[in-house]
Amino acid sequence: LSPAKDVRGVVRPAGHLAAVPRSTAASLDTLSRHCAPSIDEEGRRRLSLVRTRDTCAAGIALCGALAELFPATTHRVRQALVTSISSAGEVELIRSFATVSASLRVPSLAIVAGGVNTSAFADAPITIVSSPHLGSSSVECKWRALAAILQEGVHVLFADACVVLGTEPFSLLAGDSDFEVLSDAYEVEDIRGHVMGTDDPSMGWSRYCETMRISYVSTSLFAAMPSTAAVAVAGRVAAHMATQTADEAAVLSMELLTPSHDNVTRVGASVRALSADCWLGARLANSRMPRARLGERFAAVVLGRGGLSDAPSSSASLAKRHAALAQFFHSRNSPTLSESWVLEALPQRWALERTRIDPLMRRAPVQEPSKSIVLQSHCDRLPASGARPLNFLVPPGSADWPINCEVNRDLCALVQRIAVDRRVMAAVSNSNILQMLGQFVDLVKMLSIPNFMVVALDGATGRFLARRNTPYYLRELRSRSGSTDNHATSGLKFQILAELISVGVSVLLSDVDVVFMKNPFPALYADADVEGMSDGWDELTTYSHTHELSVAGSTEGPLRYVRLVARNSGLFYVSATHEVLRFLRILAARMAKEDVWDQSAYNQEMFRVAHSERHTAGVSSRVMNHLCFMNTKALFKHMRYDKALMQHHRPVSVHVNYHPEKEARMVSIKQYYHEGVRTALDKWNGGEGHATQGCRDKVGVHQNQMSAMTLGELEKHTLARNVLAANEEWVWRERGPCRFESLGKFVSPWGDGTWGSVPSPWRKDSLHVTLSGETYLLMFLSEKWSFVALRCSDEEVSFGQLRRLDVPSRRLVW
């Protein structure tokens, strides 16, 4: 039979698909046990699926193709495998791809970009759709077509032609998230998302900071449910890809994995990561398939453009390997895989990073465009649209509010009395911190925030608040450990918030070590389930950036991650939605059972994607502008040296979370912003301690004078002994060589100086250097053979490291 073109732009496969022999894979029970999906039924119920229409509106060509794939009398559930064709040189590859899908009887179609002659693919057993009107590039056409197909109610699995299916794929998808994605990484932590610590020794007491990191998703293989969120994501990616320089993987990863901020909104689509033991990305394929056992199968395998010993960039070579793997999976007489498939080892991430200096430590802060935004907006919210609608417990127009009052009668009465637009601002406190609570309450009253309340954890706190005429809700709770200290009681906030949310009130939760300068509600966007402040200090740390990790010898390039600094659990807004209630109940359960920091758990449950049997609440998120809802690292270490921001910008709040002198710094911040004392901040270091213009009071050091290293002291100081014994050359401020020599002599390009220990029990990891009249505290990173240098006179930070690149395996300090 010859190809039929009954509908313009649609090329039907030559001959009936039944002419392609069925795969023998279905008769083999050789799939990985990790392929069985663990379905989140609640997540599936929460999906907002598109409303199916009586007539197709996807355009003549796509509608014709869908009619070809799904005759009304034969298909109730509409699922389609979609690929794209960008070059006429992919004929053999497309033919092999189409033969596999036809052998599995999977409804399939290929989107062809403008300028590609479809007649070359006419004998491939797949429906071809020509779509030059959809975009200027093949990638834009791909995403506009996907948006249109999803809008027609079709569950889509997109696979590049370099993907080999090992079985019928849709039965192995959970279908409980807007997107099911293949990660570019191969370790579960990277695939799902995890906490990655970062270090800033110059901060002293709060040098450690948590960041969140997750691998980029692959654009070669992913599934999308026919949901309103998935349609919106596809449309957004298409709009980005209209720009020829856009990076498809970066655009999709940022849209799916990062929070909204300012007038940059994310749709808020829910995401599940496909199991890397069942769905093999190119890196895993290069590692596992060359040694695969006969009959071993996976749901799908992505063949990378690398990994070939003869011609890495050759479509013909790729097609040949595709056909070989297809036969390996689907033929009873399958041969062993070609020896031309080069085996690539997969190094563990910790081994790649053990001696690598975290680039976040050395990156200069980037404050634009946030600086321009806040100077113009004064932190009032900007016009923003495009986030998915929130799934409120009580619809905004319903008069039935608050709810569940038969369980929470006192709480309902309180929120009904004080809530504004069904929102309250709340703090949680016990009697251990009444002085700080009093300072906080007085400030909130001064700002006339009418919908403010405190959740009192004990009777003494309740009586304290009653004397101040402050609305409060008495909820006597104790932590799992029985402790009443700050960190222990902080974990109770999620249980309390769940109770508040359950009556239908949205909550801005604040710790009491936050200084407010204005009513925060006009600055809230309230278009996400969770909107919170960050521990970040600039654009890249707050809103996200790409973190790259080189993998030596890999043909697939570096590992790429989305990374951002953790959001702080001391100030965040939660909307009264079904997703938030589930989120809070998950957190409350973890706090009751696990020994975990509440902030770590809060970020994990908000940031990580669903994976295997580990489900998520599916909350959408927004991060607050770091110059509006500030932390004290952003203020004391960075912003106070920006003249324009200090003169013309007034933040909404400053959370004293990075410094141990909480109450004293709160007083100084209040003096600066509320009382106009322009020198109030000057007495503080950017890190811990007071500004003394010397080493005293910096990073745990209590004196200015420090002497050169002596033989007697050297015997007792592990770091000094190891540095001297190594007899290495060092680079400092990108110049060298520098040398630590005997009897405390320091040699450098700027002249000779002295070096020695730092007399502090907290600074066993440090040495001091005196050079040209300045004293520096050199804080060493033990495994990385590098240091962060703090100049005592002005806290200037510089960096040094071993001059040679091959870092010794032994540690410098511990």
Side-chain angles (χ1 to χ4, degrees):
L1 297 175
S2 61
K5 288 191 177 182
D6 294 343
V7 178
R8 183 182 178 187
V10 178
V11 180
R12 293 197 183 103
H16 199 275
L17 294 181
V20 178
R22 279 187 178 271
S23 167
T24 61
S27 63
L28 302 175
D29 187 22
T30 54
L31 270 178
S32 167
R33 62 182 177 83
H34 299 281
C35 288
S38 175
I39 299 171
D40 177 7
E41 294 294 349
E42 184 172 349
R44 177 182 275 182
R45 288 194 303 273
R46 297 286 177 223
L47 289 177
S48 176
L49 300 180
V50 298
R51 294 182 178 180
T52 55
R53 298 175 291 204
D54 293 333
T55 57
C56 179
I60 294 175
L62 278 176
C63 287
L66 293 177
E68 175 77 20
L69 291 182
F70 307 114
T73 57
T74 60
H75 284 82
R76 291 186 179 181
V77 179
R78 305 212 295 174
Q79 299 169 326
L81 175 68
V82 179
T83 191
S84 63
I85 301 174
S86 59
S87 168
E90 296 180 346
V91 173
E92 293 303 319
L93 186 61
I94 290 294
R95 189 175 289 129
S96 180
F97 176 89
T99 301
V100 170
S101 64
S103 75
L104 293 168
R105 301 303 188 259
V106 178
S108 307
L109 63 88
I111 308 298
V112 182
V116 178
N117 184 2
T118 57
S119 62
F121 304 92
D123 63 343
I126 190 170
T127 299
I128 306 288
V129 181
S130 180
S131 55
H133 63 287
L134 290 177
S136 58
S137 69
S138 61
V139 183
E140 184 185 0
C141 286
K142 159 186 165 179
W143 283 99
R144 294 208 184 280
L146 288 175
I149 295 168
L150 291 167
Q151 187 64 60
E152 293 304 317
V154 180
H155 182 188
V156 169
L157 175 65
F158 178 84
D160 274 347
C162 62
V163 174
V164 183
L165 295 179
T167 188
E168 188 286 315
F170 285 96
S171 61
L172 303 181
L173 297 172
D176 57 4
S177 303
D178 295 303
F179 275 82
E180 293 181 65
V181 298
L182 183 69
S183 174
D184 184 47
Y186 45 85
E187 293 186 8
V188 171
E189 274 198 340
D190 289 349
I191 293 168
R192 192 181 182 215
H194 66 102
V195 173
M196 177 187 181
T198 190
D199 193 9
D200 182 358
S202 68
M203 288 296 295
W205 178 78
S206 58
R207 64 182 288 175
Y208 174 76
C209 173
E210 289 189 342
T211 71
M212 303 303 296
R213 181 172 72 169
I214 187 170
S215 172
Y216 265 32
V217 301
S218 170
T219 56
S220 294
L221 181 66
F222 57 86
M225 289 292 287
S227 65
T228 55
V231 171
V233 168
R236 286 190 172 201
V237 177
H240 279 287
M241 298 318 298
T243 303
Q244 297 295 325
T245 58
D247 179 332
E248 184 188 9
V251 170
L252 182 61
S253 298
M254 293 298 174
E255 173 59 46
L256 293 180
L257 305 175
T258 67
S260 299
H261 65 90
D262 297 315
N263 57 350
V264 176
T265 56
R266 307 300 183 196
V267 171
S270 56
V271 182
R272 170 178 286 278
L274 297 168
S275 169
D277 290 317
C278 180
W279 307 77
L280 269 61
R283 296 178 195 278
L284 276 168
N286 292 340
S287 172
R288 296 181 65 168
M289 294 315 301
R291 53 189 178 184
R293 302 184 307 276
L294 188 64
E296 185 177 6
R297 288 186 303 123
F298 303 92
V301 175
V302 179
L303 305 182
R305 299 287 171 174
L308 293 168
S309 60
D310 52 348
S313 62
S314 168
S315 292
S317 296
L318 187 59
K320 182 178 178 181
R321 188 167 60 154
H322 192 289
L325 184 55
Q327 189 176 7
F328 181 82
F329 281 159
H330 300 291
S331 172
R332 291 185 183 277
N333 301 312
S334 59
T336 57
L337 292 176
S338 170
E339 293 182 0
S340 65
W341 198 333
V342 176
L343 176 67
E344 290 187 12
L346 291 179
Q348 290 182 298
R349 175 172 37 80
W350 73 265
L352 296 174
E353 294 188 313
R354 187 183 67 82
T355 61
R356 183 175 184 258
I357 300 169
D358 187 350
L360 202 60
M361 292 179 60
R362 300 188 173 193
R363 181 176 282 147
V366 176
Q367 301 298 355
E368 289 291 358
S370 280
K371 178 179 174 179
S372 296
I373 287 173
V374 300
L375 288 174
Q376 293 174 22
S377 71
H378 307 292
C379 290
D380 287 342
R381 59 179 168 264
L382 301 173
S385 61
R388 64 165 173 78
L390 297 181
N391 185 20
F392 285 102
L393 291 166
V394 182
S398 173
D400 184 20
W401 183 89
I403 57 174
N404 296 321
C405 294
E406 65 280 3
V407 178
N408 295 297
R409 194 177 306 276
D410 292 342
L411 181 56
C412 280
L414 177 59
V415 301
Q416 202 162 24
R417 177 165 58 90
I418 69 167
V420 176
D421 297 328
R422 300 182 180 180
R423 305 192 295 182
V424 298
M425 174 179 168
V428 179
S429 181
N430 63 18
S431 54
N432 286 357
I433 53 172
L434 291 183
Q435 183 174 339
M436 193 182 299
L437 175 63
Q439 186 179 164
F440 179 78
V441 167
D442 290 345
L443 191 55
V444 171
K445 286 188 173 184
M446 185 181 77
L447 293 172
S448 300
I449 300 173
N451 51 341
F452 172 67
M453 60 175 284
V454 178
V455 178
L457 295 177
D458 52 47
T461 305
R463 292 187 292 273
F464 174 83
L465 293 164
R467 291 193 296 271
R468 290 171 172 262
N469 295 318
T470 301
Y472 72 94
Y473 171 57
L474 181 61
R475 185 67 169 94
E476 295 185 284
L477 291 172
R478 294 184 72 85
S479 67
R480 182 171 65 93
S481 65
S483 172
T484 59
D485 67 19
N486 183 47
H487 276 291
T489 57
S490 185
L492 299 173
K493 66 179 65 168
F494 303 121
Q495 180 180 344
I496 293 164
L497 275 172
E499 294 176 10
L500 282 161
I501 293 294
S502 70
V503 304
V505 65
S506 300
V507 183
L508 174 64
L509 184 84
S510 176
D511 282 355
V512 298
D513 58 347
V514 178
V515 181
F516 282 91
M517 268 56 76
K518 58 178 79 171
N519 186 329
F521 286 96
L524 297 178
Y525 286 75
D527 61 351
D529 292 307
V530 185
E531 180 174 356
M533 70 162 288
S534 171
D535 278 350
W537 50 91
D538 75 337
E539 291 275 321
L540 303 179
T541 56
T542 303
Y543 307 137
S544 77
H545 61 280
T546 297
H547 176 96
E548 288 197 355
L549 182 60
S550 297
V551 183
S554 173
T555 57
E556 303 303 322
L559 284 163
R560 294 197 293 173
Y561 301 85
V562 169
R563 187 182 182 193
L564 72 167
V565 169
R567 277 157 278 184
N568 193 284
S569 61
L571 181 65
F572 61 95
Y573 176 81
V574 281
S575 297
T577 65
H578 290 278
E579 288 80 3
V580 164
L581 188 57
R582 186 184 187 191
F583 171 71
L584 294 170
R585 285 172 173 168
I586 290 171
L587 285 168
R590 289 189 63 185
M591 292 298 104
K593 297 175 183 178
E594 300 177 30
D595 185 17
V596 59
W597 183 26
D598 65 285
Q599 182 161 304
S600 292
Y602 165 74
N603 277 277
Q604 289 165 2
E605 297 302 330
M606 181 165 42
F607 182 80
R608 294 190 302 195
V609 299
H611 179 261
S612 189
E613 73 283 355
R614 297 173 179 174
H615 304 157
T616 67
V619 292
S620 60
S621 68
R622 169 178 283 277
V623 63
M624 297 167 171
N625 188 297
H626 68 284
L627 295 176
C628 292
F629 294 86
M630 300 191 71
N631 59 66
T632 43
K633 180 173 183 176
L635 175 63
F636 284 99
K637 197 171 180 64
H638 300 294
M639 195 183 86
R640 68 165 163 172
Y641 300 111
D642 188 306
K643 186 176 180 180
L645 286 172
M646 294 307 288
Q647 287 185 351
H648 304 294
H649 169 57
R650 186 181 184 88
V652 175
S653 63
V654 177
H655 187 186
V656 188
N657 61 321
Y658 267 103
H659 296 87
E661 315 90 0
K662 286 184 178 290
E663 290 186 59
R665 291 206 188 220
M666 285 178 71
V667 170
S668 295
I669 294 166
K670 182 180 176 183
Q671 288 174 339
Y672 185 89
Y673 285 107
H674 287 289
E675 299 172 15
V677 181
R678 290 307 185 195
T679 58
L681 307 182
D682 296 349
K683 64 183 178 182
W684 298 107
N685 287 325
E688 67 173 291
H690 288 85
T692 62
Q693 284 72 53
C695 295
R696 182 172 56 84
D697 259 9
K698 287 182 174 62
V699 295
V701 177
H702 301 299
Q703 64 189 68
N704 288 323
Q705 298 301 318
M706 285 172 266
S707 55
M709 181 63 66
T710 63
L711 289 176
E713 190 176 8
L714 187 65
E715 293 179 0
K716 300 180 291 184
H717 201 285
T718 302
L719 172 61
R721 195 167 58 249
N722 288 341
V723 167
L724 190 62
N727 193 30
E728 293 280 1
E729 291 185 343
W730 299 75
V731 175
W732 185 8
R733 296 177 182 270
E734 300 184 356
R735 292 183 63 185
C738 298
R739 297 184 64 88
F740 297 87
E741 297 189 348
S742 60
L743 299 177
K745 182 180 180 181
F746 183 77
V747 178
S748 80
W750 306 279
D752 294 349
T754 61
W755 68 277
S757 64
V758 177
S760 167
W762 308 108
R763 295 270 64 98
K764 300 297 185 184
D765 63 343
S766 301
L767 300 173
H768 81 270
V769 167
T770 300
L771 189 66
S772 302
E774 296 278 4
T775 301
Y776 300 84
L777 303 175
L778 276 54
M779 294 162 278
F780 282 77
L781 308 176
S782 185
E783 285 189 311
K784 305 180 190 305
W785 286 64
S786 63
F787 59 82
V788 176
L790 183 72
R791 189 161 65 190
C792 289
S793 61
D794 59 3
E795 288 191 286
E796 182 205 63
V797 176
S798 54
F799 304 95
Q801 64 192 76
L802 205 61
R803 194 179 190 187
R804 65 185 174 100
L805 298 179
D806 53 327
V807 176
S809 59
R810 66 184 183 280
R811 297 184 177 207
L812 270 173
V813 188
W814 295 288

